Amino acid sequence: MAHHKVLVANRGEISSRIVTAAGEVGMSTMVIYSEQDRLAGYLQRADACFQIGESGDLGPLEAYLDGARIVNIAKQHHADLVHPGYGFLSENVEFAAQVREAGLTFVGPPTEIIRKMGDKVAARQIAQSLDIPTIPGTNGPLKDLLEAYEFAEEHGYPVVVKANFGGGGRGMRVIRRKEDIEEAIAASQSEARAAFGNGAVYMERYLCRPKHIERNHQKIIEFAPAANISPAVRRGVLDAAIRLAKGINYATVENAGTVEFLVEGEQLYFIEMNPRIQVEHTVTEEITGIDIVSAQLRIACGATLKELGLAQDKIHRTGFAVQCRVNTEIPSQGFRPDSGTIRGCRLPTGRGVRLDHSECFLGASISPYYDSLLVKCICSGADMASTVKRAIRALKEFQILGVQTNIAFLVRLLEDPTFAKGNCWTSFVETKFKDKRNHPGSGEI
């Protein structure tokens, strides 16, 4: 493969992950950073790094949402590929178009597919046209408060308001009573605008008991293959995902995408398709042996799925994997994010333990401006029970001083005797409602 240079239009853990994969396929790497990230650990892993904007010119989030400046840096320093990672501009159709108009390769699907799938409401409508079940929701972005009140009255509380463009729990609020609608929608719109550059939101009925283990609408434990679903539901999810991919010609795109479903009992619901790499791609990699990020980069340079050995009949699952998101937060204070300097750091080792991170090292400065994810701890094993035990052992080996983490919370969850059956009881804490309810699990098929 001819020599290529990739600019990573992101920060933190996913930037480090992409830099690693790019190095393994022989690419040069460039990363960007905000003024607030000037001492970030991921900058040390790339061949070159460039600040977005002058000192104080842009806010901590604005820097990573300034597509025009990012593209200019890529052009000025002769990058030929741009990888958006996840979050920020990864599903921004204007950014993908800017990259391509500049004569650069966008590592992802065609602009038109990003337009279709990046817009969560449009994606729901496409799924419905293909007879794929969806959770009842508004037919488009909320036009006004009256529409929100009418939807909630028709479907009953709780309801949830979500960002049209984005994910990861950003721009998402659960609403349990009429009096909270106006405030929740305003907060959701503001957060979505700050995180994704677009404040459009829509509303859905809220499923109170889906198969998810999450906190603040972010999955904190992911495992593969998904546990405690019947063979019929598993086939239904796989068939629906394939039907959606074929329906939008994603099968001919040859790049990464994730179709997400919620399962309630024997009923499955399509919720979204992310036309990008996913935070939890690691568990898929561990049970398939496929480096998804490396494949993305090679495909962007012209390789075919056949050349990479990625034909569907060549992909086989082996073993089990669990990913735990270690966050810098204070569980006793409603999981409030914590920041500061890491004064002591011991990381787990051993067979079947993988750590994806950027800032988990002695002396690292944990910023208060970004997501609280510190490190993804991924453990693999021959079966679920042994994999969960390995994850517990790995989490207990962590020693992080200087900032608080959710490690003890994760251990407590994994040690629940019903967890291995995919029916674990966890305290699901929402910052606003401080609610507790049963969430049986989250996983990838």
Side-chain angles (χ1 to χ4, degrees):
M1 183 173 67
H3 184 74
H4 293 278
K5 181 185 290 187
V6 59
L7 180 141
V8 183
N10 215 294
R11 66 172 300 279
E13 172 271 328
I14 189 58
S15 283
S16 291
R17 172 73 184 91
I18 296 167
V19 166
T20 297
E24 290 183 354
V25 298
M27 293 184 180
S28 298
T29 55
M30 300 162 49
V31 295
I32 56 173
Y33 64 97
S34 66
E35 166 68 16
Q36 293 77 13
D37 266 342
R38 65 189 182 279
L39 300 178
Y42 73 94
L43 304 182
Q44 308 303 317
R45 302 190 180 193
D47 296 315
C49 50
F50 303 95
Q51 183 172 335
I52 301 294
E54 302 297 328
S55 179
D57 180 34
L58 295 172
L61 295 176
E62 292 175 317
Y64 296 103
L65 293 171
D66 196 327
R69 295 198 198 193
I70 293 171
V71 171
N72 283 338
I73 288 175
K75 289 179 62 179
Q76 290 171 9
H77 298 280
H78 311 292
D80 48 350
L81 295 93
V82 175
H83 196 308
Y86 55 72
F88 292 122
L89 294 171
S90 62
E91 296 180 63
N92 186 298
V93 67
E94 287 78 17
F95 178 63
Q98 284 178 313
V99 171
R100 288 171 169 134
E101 288 168 4
L104 308 175
T105 298
F106 182 81
V107 183
T111 305
E112 185 54 36
I113 287 186
I114 298 174
R115 189 185 308 278
K116 290 178 180 179
M117 293 294 107
D119 182 334
K120 308 306 181 187
V121 172
R124 283 169 46 86
Q125 294 169 345
I126 291 171
Q128 290 165 358
S129 73
L130 296 168
D131 295 324
I132 298 172
T134 61
I135 301 170
T138 54
N139 292 325
L142 285 172
K143 298 185 289 292
D144 51 37
L145 285 174
L146 178 60
E147 182 183 16
Y149 287 126
E150 290 177 345
F151 179 87
E153 184 69 23
E154 178 184 356
H155 294 279
Y157 293 90
V159 293
V160 60
V161 60
K162 296 180 177 181
N164 264 46
F165 302 90
R170 299 293 182 88
M172 184 173 173
R173 296 290 188 280
V174 176
I175 304 171
R176 303 183 184 282
R177 56 180 191 158
K178 182 178 181 179
E179 294 79 4
D180 295 328
I181 283 184
E182 184 172 359
E183 179 184 348
I185 289 176
S188 181
Q189 290 172 329
S190 176
E191 188 174 8
R193 192 176 298 111
F196 310 115
N198 190 310
V201 297
Y202 65 101
M203 186 172 279
E204 282 183 345
R205 180 168 72 86
Y206 183 64
L207 299 185
C208 292
R209 296 172 66 88
K211 292 190 184 301
H212 260 257
I213 300 173
E214 56 180 30
R215 205 273 309 159
N216 274 1
H217 314 302
Q218 288 193 338
K219 296 182 289 293
I220 58 171
I221 294 180
E222 296 99 4
F223 52 90
N228 196 41
I229 61 174
S230 69
V233 170
R234 190 183 300 277
R235 284 194 302 270
V237 168
L238 291 170
D239 290 345
I242 292 171
R243 190 157 73 249
L244 181 70
K246 289 182 176 179
I248 60 172
N249 293 322
Y250 212 96
T252 63
V253 169
E254 299 190 349
N255 214 289
T258 305
V259 186
E260 291 196 24
F261 297 86
L262 286 180
V263 174
E264 188 176 47
E266 289 294 294
Q267 179 62 55
L268 65 91
Y269 297 98
F270 167 82
I271 52 174
E272 63 184 14
M273 180 176 185
N274 296 309
R276 54 167 171 81
I277 195 69
Q278 190 84 337
V279 180
E280 52 268 47
H281 72 275
T282 59
V283 290
T284 300
E285 291 183 330
E286 292 304 307
I287 67 168
T288 62
I290 297 168
D291 185 326
I292 297 174
V293 179
S294 173
Q296 278 191 299
L297 294 168
R298 295 177 67 184
I299 288 167
C301 294
T304 66
L305 295 181
K306 183 177 180 180
E307 290 171 344
L308 298 179
L310 296 180
Q312 190 66 49
D313 62 354
K314 301 294 185 184
I315 299 173
H316 303 286
R317 299 197 311 257
T318 303
F320 202 91
V322 174
Q323 174 180 287
C324 297
R325 299 195 203 186
V326 175
N327 297 329
T328 54
E329 53 192 20
I330 307 173
S332 63
Q333 297 180 17
F335 293 88
R336 177 176 64 82
D338 197 17
S339 58
T341 301
I342 294 181
R343 302 297 184 186
C345 184
R346 183 183 70 193
L347 302 180
T349 60
R351 181 184 176 198
V353 176
R354 165 182 169 180
L355 303 176
D356 281 21
H357 68 94
S358 166
E359 310 301 318
C360 195
F361 58 88
L362 182 65
S365 178
I366 307 303
S367 171
Y369 300 107
Y370 303 103
D371 185 89
S372 62
L373 174 64
L374 178 65
V375 54
K376 297 191 300 196
C377 178
I378 308 102
C379 295
S380 55
D383 52 55
M384 184 176 186
S386 63
T387 303
V388 170
K389 288 180 180 178
R390 179 166 286 163
I392 293 170
R393 186 268 298 172
L395 289 169
K396 287 182 175 180
E397 285 185 8
F398 272 102
Q399 186 176 61
I400 308 295
L401 304 178
V403 291
Q404 294 196 47
T405 72
N406 66 337
I407 289 175
F409 174 74
L410 293 169
V411 170
R412 189 164 65 250
L413 172 60
L414 291 174
E415 286 183 332
D416 187 292
T418 62
F419 180 84
K421 298 178 181 179
N423 281 316
C424 64
W425 199 144
T426 178
S427 299
F428 175 91
V429 182
E430 292 178 304
T431 301
K432 183 172 182 180
F433 300 106
K434 294 184 172 58
D435 226 13
K436 291 184 178 180
R437 57 175 81 75
N438 194 16
H439 286 259
S442 169
E444 293 207 353
I445 296 296

